[in-house]
Amino acid sequence: MDCLGCRLANKEENVYVVYENSFLSCILDHEPFNPGHVMILPKEHVEEGVEFDIQMNMAVMKAVQLISKTIEGIYHPDGITICQNGGIFSDLNHYHMHVVPRYKGQDFAEFYQESPENADPQEPFPYTMEKMKSMIESLVEKEKENVT
């Protein structure tokens, strides 16, 4: 099956990975609503979240938490929107969840427009990626210290 979501998650396309594990990849959205907008994609092909086993459920929710903490620490948004579009509303035909920093006064309806005004990333992708990866590594390290 030729699936763009699988190719993105498995880095067969040019992507900016901010976090990954054996289950999923977290990449910068190619048309970010704001800097720090991340997509979480399973590495195995799955179209809907109802297909997840418990391990994938936990991996996705852990990634949401990690990405959200990173966004809060770097961008200090007024809020974070977490969304997943399934069925005919999924443009990838592969499960993906968006984690999007938002600021007061932003109408999220723009997120669903074909050519959003916010498609300009406002900072270079490599810069965003490195900032986020560094913060994530720090958060993961702190978490390991708290476990031991």
Side-chain angles (χ1 to χ4, degrees), residues 82-98:
I82 299 165
C83 63
Q84 188 274 326
N85 301 311
I88 63 169
F89 303 105
S90 175
D91 53 350
L92 285 181
N93 297 318
H94 183 103
Y95 181 90
H96 60 289
M97 182 174 283
H98 295 268

Side-chain angles (χ1 to χ4, degrees), residues 110-146:
E110 294 172 16
F111 178 81
Y112 292 101
Q113 293 175 356
E114 284 298 316
S115 28
E117 292 177 18
N118 298 28
D120 179 9
Q122 302 165 3
E123 70 181 16
F125 287 120
Y127 179 74
T128 304
M129 179 184 70
E130 289 307 318
K131 279 196 315 190
M132 293 188 77
K133 281 175 76 169
S134 178
M135 179 80 141
I136 288 168
E137 288 170 9
S138 174
L139 289 170
V140 169
E141 201 56 43
K142 282 181 189 173
E143 188 175 286
K144 285 179 186 176
E145 290 171 7
N146 291 337

